[in-house]
Amino acid sequence: MSSSGALGDVRLEVRGVKKSFAGTAALSGVELVARRGEVHAILGENGAGKSTLMKILSGALAADAGRILLDGAPFSPEGPVEARQRGVSIVYQEPELCAELTVAESVLLGGEPARYGVIDRSTQRERALASLRRVVPEDNAQRLAPERLIKTLSPSERQLVALARALAHGDCRVLILDEPTSALSAADVARLFDVVADLAASGITVLYISHFLEEVERVATRFTMLRDGRSVASGDLATTTRSELVALMAGRAVSELFPRSPRVPGEPVLELAALRGTVRPSDASLTLRRGEVLGIAGLLGSGRTALLRAIFGLDAVRGGTLRVKALSGPRSPAERLRQGVGLLSEDRKGEGLADSMSLGDNLTLSKLDELGPLGLVLPARRDAATQRYVTELGIRCRGPEQLARELSGGNQQKLCFARLLHHGVDVLLLDEPTRGIDVGSRADIYRLIDGLAAKGAAILLVSSYLPELLGVCDRVAVMVRGRLATARPVTELSEHALLLEATG
């Protein structure tokens, strides 16, 4: 937790900030006060206005009205570079890094040390290492060696590089962290919390955005709640209960986060025996039946995602037995879809959506044969199919023509689910289905999963969020270094037991 002894005068003050896009209000008068040396949580459902506010603070957008003060002085940067120069940096949930650059080049991008007009590579490396060591323990520094290319890094490693970059430029006074733990391992999360505490103790103000309330309660001291573009509450986390935070966030009581309808396991639809991939999984055996949700726990890098990709046909299978419904052996993703098997990728931005296309195109792209004769797509049929799932899943949007990238994270995830439902899949491979989305959207997705299982769908669910596995699944298996243990009923498991097994 941040040190209360480091708290000082008001560092950041936001008064009556408004922002609209094409006549639609994203912010309708936001109020925020954050002190020096404070970890201040910014809470709210997807679509509440958090991202818009953070983009204004970091210089990516300009406010339409209102005022912002930084250490008592007016603050209205003309762009992210000026914001960083004045001491405000942001680390986004999905950092955009150039794949062909090295770690050192990425950390110092825009502030490269030069000598005689040429980049000083030695100094660049030293400065990058100094920043990296603030976020990665020195005994694990080789993991993010300055010479490594960004394209070779995992999502969690890229997140750490983005954090190091935010701390490398100038005198950072306000650090904005947007869902910083969504792609991190448990060890990296613990390290991040230590880093945040150190930064706050040094006087830096940290604005911390997260949908995980237990995480917020651990790392932050105060909060501001946004809903529908407005500030609806602020206060001390120590005197606010979690149920009060959930009610403030959703605007309603979320009484049943993990619904559980009667489920009757049926025939096996997926059977693995000693399955091996190119690297991982190295030994995976399981049986998934109709009408059940089977969870897979494990640390990042344990092989969970590789297992789902191998089943779906995206990664090669090197040995063992793989049987889906009546077919044995590996198949292509197109064949899997024809079998009624669908994959929800953990990488929503990179693999889950074509974010420059509309909702309608994203939802129907994998199955067009019912949208018109002779391979044609009739816009009216596409829009009707889209509207059905927009209504059924509660996707908040302007309509089928809205671009996918304009949706909030929770609504983008619902769109990914809608595409699987449009395709008619009844075996769902779900990889981190609620990563980075708010509690209200999570509750909606849990109800969707529960309803599908109750109707006879078979669901294989990978998640790093242990309460989710225990609340949604019927059985859970733990994967460690590519090996999958025997699945056990959730009634025999606890978060502590899963963590012990996952860490070997």
Side-chain angles (χ1 to χ4, degrees):
M1 294 182 64
S2 60
S3 171
S4 59
L7 296 182
D9 298 331
V10 172
R11 166 60 54 77
L12 181 69
E13 189 173 358
V14 177
R15 296 297 184 191
V17 166
K18 298 181 180 181
K19 182 67 179 179
S20 296
F21 299 97
T24 300
L27 299 179
S28 305
V30 171
E31 307 284 329
L32 167 67
V33 176
R35 303 186 186 105
R36 179 177 61 86
E38 174 182 65
V39 182
H40 194 109
I42 309 297
L43 303 176
E45 291 192 304
N46 289 115
K50 303 188 303 297
S51 294
T52 301
L53 176 61
M54 296 307 109
K55 287 178 181 178
I56 290 173
L57 293 177
S58 63
L61 293 174
D64 296 335
R67 65 171 185 163
I68 303 172
L69 301 177
L70 180 65
D71 286 328
F75 180 73
S76 55
E78 295 185 358
V81 173
E82 182 182 339
R84 285 197 299 270
Q85 290 172 344
R86 294 192 59 183
V88 179
S89 295
I90 186 169
V91 178
Y92 288 105
Q93 177 183 357
E94 297 175 342
E96 295 184 354
L97 301 172
C98 182
E100 299 301 326
L101 292 183
T102 66
V103 168
E105 290 167 341
S106 298
V107 170
L108 273 298
L109 187 64
E112 296 86 351
R115 180 179 297 177
Y116 308 116
V118 179
I119 294 176
D120 184 343
R121 298 292 180 182
S122 177
T123 302
Q124 180 187 56
R125 187 180 191 281
E126 290 176 6
R127 290 184 183 176
L129 272 175
S131 186
L132 287 165
R133 284 170 181 160
R134 298 182 72 178
V135 298
V136 179
E138 190 167 355
D139 58 3
N140 198 20
Q142 190 58 35
R143 173 183 172 189
L144 286 179
E147 297 78 16
R148 285 189 65 184
L149 292 177
I150 294 297
K151 65 183 179 183
T152 68
L153 304 184
S154 68
S156 63
E157 291 168 337
R158 295 185 188 196
Q159 190 82 355
L160 294 171
V161 170
L163 179 57
R165 179 184 174 186
L167 299 174
H169 294 281
D171 179 22
C172 182
R173 291 187 279 172
V174 176
L175 176 64
I176 304 169
L177 300 179
D178 185 5
E179 296 289 348
T181 65
S182 62
L184 299 185
S185 67
D188 286 332
V189 169
R191 172 62 181 167
L192 175 69
F193 289 165
D194 290 340
V195 171
V196 169
D198 290 343
L199 294 174
S202 71
I204 292 176
T205 298
V206 180
L207 299 183
Y208 195 95
I209 303 172
S210 178
H211 295 303
F212 295 105
L213 297 182
E214 62 270 28
E215 179 178 297
V216 167
E217 291 165 344
R218 177 177 172 183
V219 76
T221 53
R222 297 179 63 246
F223 74 94
T224 293
M225 184 72 69
L226 302 185
R227 190 169 69 241
D228 297 327
R230 295 179 179 273
S231 306
V232 296
S234 63
D236 295 326
L237 284 161
T239 57
T240 308
T241 67
R242 190 174 301 178
S243 60
E244 289 172 337
L245 290 174
V246 171
L248 286 170
M249 184 181 295
R252 65 188 190 280
V254 181
S255 57
E256 190 176 23
L257 187 59
F258 300 114
R260 174 80 60 156
S261 299
R263 302 175 189 169
V264 180
E267 64 178 344
V269 292
L270 171 63
E271 297 173 275
L272 312 178
L275 189 73
R276 302 191 305 279
T278 305
V279 178
R280 290 180 177 168
S282 56
D283 184 3
S285 300
L286 64 80
T287 298
L288 175 67
R289 299 177 179 275
R290 290 196 178 279
E292 78 164 341
V293 183
L294 197 162
I296 300 180
L299 303 180
L300 289 173
S302 63
R304 303 169 307 166
T305 293
L307 175 62
L308 297 193
R309 292 175 64 88
I311 295 170
F312 192 62
L314 287 171
D315 288 349
V317 172
R318 298 302 183 191
T321 301
L322 169 58
R323 182 179 180 86
V324 179
K325 296 184 179 179
L327 296 179
S328 296
R331 293 289 188 276
S332 70
E335 289 176 300
R336 288 292 184 231
L337 282 171
R338 284 194 291 271
Q339 283 185 281
V341 180
L343 171 68
L344 187 83
S345 172
E346 67 169 341
D347 185 359
R348 183 168 62 237
K349 183 176 180 180
E351 296 181 343
L353 293 172
D355 63 1
S356 62
M357 298 177 70
S358 70
L359 273 73
D361 288 336
N362 268 280
L363 194 150
T364 60
L365 195 57
S366 65
K367 187 179 181 183
L368 302 173
D369 53 357
E370 297 177 358
L371 303 182
L374 303 175
L376 298 175
V377 175
L378 300 180
R381 291 192 186 180
R382 181 204 62 188
D383 292 351
T386 303
Q387 191 59 50
R388 170 191 171 190
Y389 292 108
V390 165
T391 301
E392 186 176 320
L393 274 63
I395 301 174
R396 296 177 62 179
C397 63
R398 295 194 299 271
E401 294 299 331
Q402 185 176 0
L403 296 182
R405 65 175 172 230
E406 297 175 351
L407 298 182
S408 66
N411 288 303
Q412 287 181 345
Q413 195 73 334
K414 290 179 182 179
L415 178 58
C416 293
F417 266 97
R419 182 172 60 245
L420 298 182
L421 299 182
H422 170 73
H423 205 95
V425 303
D426 59 2
V427 179
L428 291 87
L429 312 175
L430 307 181
D431 197 355
E432 302 287 3
T434 64
R435 171 179 287 171
I437 66 175
D438 60 80
V439 66
S441 295
R442 270 191 279 152
D444 291 339
I445 287 177
Y446 295 150
R447 282 193 294 271
L448 175 61
I449 292 172
D450 179 66
L452 290 170
K455 293 177 182 177
I459 300 170
L460 189 60
L461 189 155
V462 164
S463 178
S464 301
Y465 186 41
L466 300 184
E468 177 173 279
L469 290 172
L470 296 173
V472 173
C473 300
D474 301 294
R475 296 183 295 143
V476 176
V478 177
M479 180 167 270
V480 180
R481 297 186 182 91
R483 296 181 176 274
L484 189 65
T486 302
R488 290 180 286 163
V490 293
T491 53
E492 301 176 4
L493 297 169
S494 66
E495 291 185 43
H496 182 66
L498 288 175
L499 275 173
L500 284 178
E501 194 171 345
T503 55

